[in-house]
Amino acid sequence: MALNDKSTDLDIRSAELEDVPALLALEQSCFDTDRVSVRSFRRFIKDKRSDLFLAEQDGHLAGYFLLIYRRGTSLARLYSLAVDARFRKQGIAEFLMQHAERVAAERNCVLLRLEVRYDNAAAIKLYHKLHYHEFALKHDFYEDHSDAICMQKQIIQFDTDSVKRQVPYIAQTTPFTCGPACLLMVFNYFQPNQYAPASLEIDIWREATTIFMTSGHGGCGPRGLALAAYHRGFDVEIFLNKEGVLFTDTVRSEVKKNILQRVHDSYCEKVAQSNIAVHSADLNISKIKQLLQNDALLVVLISTWQFDKSKAPHWVVVCAVDEHFVYINDPDTEDIPWLSASERQYIPIAHSVFIKAFSYGKNRLKAAVMVKERKSSSSSTLL
């Protein structure tokens, strides 16, 4: 970013052990409590799971930021940021934040999170300007017992210039219609604005539901979703790593199990009559990428345990894959109500996290429905 006319250009670099005295002096001048200690500064400089950067102006320390990382996640946390009082109101805090985002992104972190005092209006204003969103409140967080507002920002975005057309985002409007919402995103990708969610979401659910889940309304199975797409003029293929009746892990009633068996048998018969291919396969990242490159989209069953610890089966659309991430459209808005529809498109999920999420239940069920536009069909049938 360009700083205002009151300042010259900043130099920014990684901190070294020789910088600790200057960092400590800055820390003591900026904060009355919750200060980073000499020992902690030394540890963060040496630790490979943290990044401590200095901003200097004409050889003087103007500010710093400290990022820490948690092994096995795609999250970065802004642990501390400080700007010398002599250099404030020159855009340096914003400069540091933008550099922190770049540093975290280079480590393949999807989200940057931070805590800010509830009464720090200037900092909150800056974070809002930089498109950070509040997602939680931590009570009694600071040494003086003040509360902290938790904020986060998605710092890695899919390069939309690399695709001719984006998969549109459509949210599910009920707790049980993630599968239909995913199909509607896929349909409207291939045939833009031709499938109205308001009129079709429930219709598709009625066609594709497996009748029973743990409680309440039933969820949709892969064969039901595939048939719903097939009947609307799309080519489909099913990928399953398990045979037999699906989603029976938590069903204890023998009556319900018998009904699930009958529904399963009916779907199998209809899939066979429609000549829909069913592959006994365990899809990996390479195969998913190959299918996408062949002008297909995937509706994939995941377990939400990796994201919200709820262990619920959930359908998402796999839109793209690159070297580090699988990009999904997630129709569920309950966990991220503060994000706009555009921010829910192409959510990056690290390969390792996606592979863990891409299975459900004790039997590690993996299910996916590949959907392509049917080249031989001049138009689809809107049911």
Side-chain angles (χ1 to χ4, degrees):
M1 65 164 274
L3 301 177
N4 65 31
D5 294 337
K6 294 181 181 180
S7 69
T8 59
D9 291 338
L10 288 175
D11 294 318
I12 192 159
R13 63 176 175 84
S14 296
E16 300 175 353
L17 290 176
E18 295 78 27
D19 299 310
V20 170
L23 285 165
L24 187 64
L26 175 59
E27 190 78 358
Q28 291 174 339
S29 69
C30 290
F31 305 112
D32 296 324
T33 61
D34 299 276
R35 291 170 174 164
V36 181
S37 67
V38 172
R39 181 180 178 182
S40 293
F41 272 128
R42 289 181 175 275
R43 175 169 56 86
F44 286 129
I45 289 171
K46 295 178 181 179
D47 196 342
K48 294 181 180 180
R49 288 178 293 173
S50 60
D51 281 312
L52 179 55
F53 275 76
L54 309 180
E56 295 177 319
Q57 192 178 84
D58 298 328
H60 299 287
L61 178 60
Y64 80 86
F65 69 79
L66 171 59
L67 296 174
I68 60 175
Y69 309 97
R70 184 177 178 182
R71 183 177 288 123
T73 74
S74 298
L75 297 175
R77 180 188 173 200
L78 181 73
Y79 188 82
S80 184
L81 181 147
V83 176
D84 191 301
R86 296 169 295 175
F87 295 93
R88 289 175 188 167
K89 298 185 178 180
Q90 297 180 30
I92 292 176
E94 185 172 352
F95 174 88
L96 289 169
M97 284 300 301
Q98 292 181 331
H99 195 83
E101 291 175 8
R102 289 193 290 272
V103 170
E106 287 172 0
R107 283 189 178 249
N108 296 320
C109 290
V110 173
L111 294 173
L112 178 54
R113 289 181 172 175
L114 57 89
E115 293 87 18
V116 57
R117 284 178 62 103
Y118 78 98
D119 56 357
N120 190 343
I124 294 170
K125 181 179 179 180
L126 170 62
Y127 298 140
H128 281 153
K129 176 184 177 182
L130 295 173
H131 307 294
Y132 285 79
H133 303 281
E134 294 135 5
F135 69 92
L137 181 68
K138 292 183 178 179
H139 296 289
D140 198 20
F141 181 76
Y142 296 102
E143 288 180 3
D144 64 358
H145 306 292
S146 296
D147 296 340
I149 297 172
C150 303
M151 307 182 79
Q152 70 178 14
K153 177 182 178 179
Q154 182 179 316
I155 56 175
I156 289 182
Q157 304 286 341
F158 179 71
D159 179 13
T160 56
D161 293 336
S162 65
V163 294
K164 292 183 290 186
R165 185 169 67 236
Q166 281 186 264
V167 180
Y169 182 78
I170 295 173
Q172 63 190 82
T173 63
T174 77
F176 49 87
T177 50
C178 54
C182 286
L183 280 189
L184 288 166
M185 289 190 244
V186 173
F187 296 167
N188 283 294
Y189 167 78
F190 289 116
Q191 298 175 15
N193 304 314
Q194 295 300 304
Y195 295 84
S199 60
L200 289 173
E201 181 183 17
I202 297 300
D203 284 353
I204 293 174
W205 171 75
R206 291 176 62 239
E207 297 171 38
T209 182
T210 56
I211 306 298
F212 290 115
M213 291 301 292
T214 53
S215 62
H217 295 88
C220 295
R223 288 181 174 85
L225 292 173
L227 286 165
Y230 175 82
H231 291 148
R232 286 166 175 80
F234 293 92
D235 284 337
V236 294
E237 295 180 23
I238 300 168
F239 294 84
L240 289 167
N241 69 336
K242 303 289 182 183
E243 296 295 334
V245 184
L246 308 180
F247 306 124
T248 59
D249 286 1
T250 56
V251 178
R252 295 180 175 84
S253 167
E254 289 301 321
V255 173
K256 290 183 178 181
K257 286 183 178 181
N258 288 335
I259 295 176
L260 280 170
Q261 181 69 59
R262 292 169 62 186
V263 172
H264 171 78
D265 293 343
S266 175
Y267 279 141
C268 288
E269 182 179 353
K270 291 175 181 177
V271 164
Q273 290 173 347
S274 302
N275 292 319
I276 295 173
V278 180
H279 303 283
S280 180
D282 195 341
L283 288 181
N284 55 28
I285 296 294
S286 177
K287 181 61 177 179
I288 290 172
K289 189 172 185 178
Q290 180 185 345
L291 292 170
L292 294 174
Q293 290 172 339
N294 289 332
D295 299 321
L297 288 178
L298 289 172
V299 178
V300 170
L301 183 73
I302 66 169
S303 169
T304 57
W305 176 255
Q306 291 295 319
F307 309 106
D308 61 14
K309 308 303 182 186
S310 68
K311 294 186 179 180
H314 183 56
W315 292 99
V316 298
V317 181
V318 174
C319 304
V321 176
D322 65 17
E323 182 182 357
H324 300 290
F325 300 100
V326 175
Y327 296 86
I328 67 169
N329 279 13
D330 184 346
D332 186 6
T333 63
E334 288 212 359
D335 290 334
I336 46 175
W338 58 86
L339 296 185
S340 66
S342 62
E343 290 172 305
R344 295 190 189 108
Q345 286 180 287
Y346 290 78
I347 299 171
I349 309 295
H351 287 182
S352 59
V353 176
F354 179 82
I355 289 300
K356 290 178 182 178
F358 181 30
S359 64
Y360 174 71
K362 296 178 181 179
N363 294 325
R364 310 294 293 173
L365 168 67
K366 290 191 175 184
V369 179
M370 185 212 73
V371 184
K372 296 179 69 172
E373 195 163 19
R374 190 175 298 168
K375 301 299 182 182
S376 60
S377 176
S378 60
S379 62
S380 63
T381 302
L382 304 187
L383 300 183

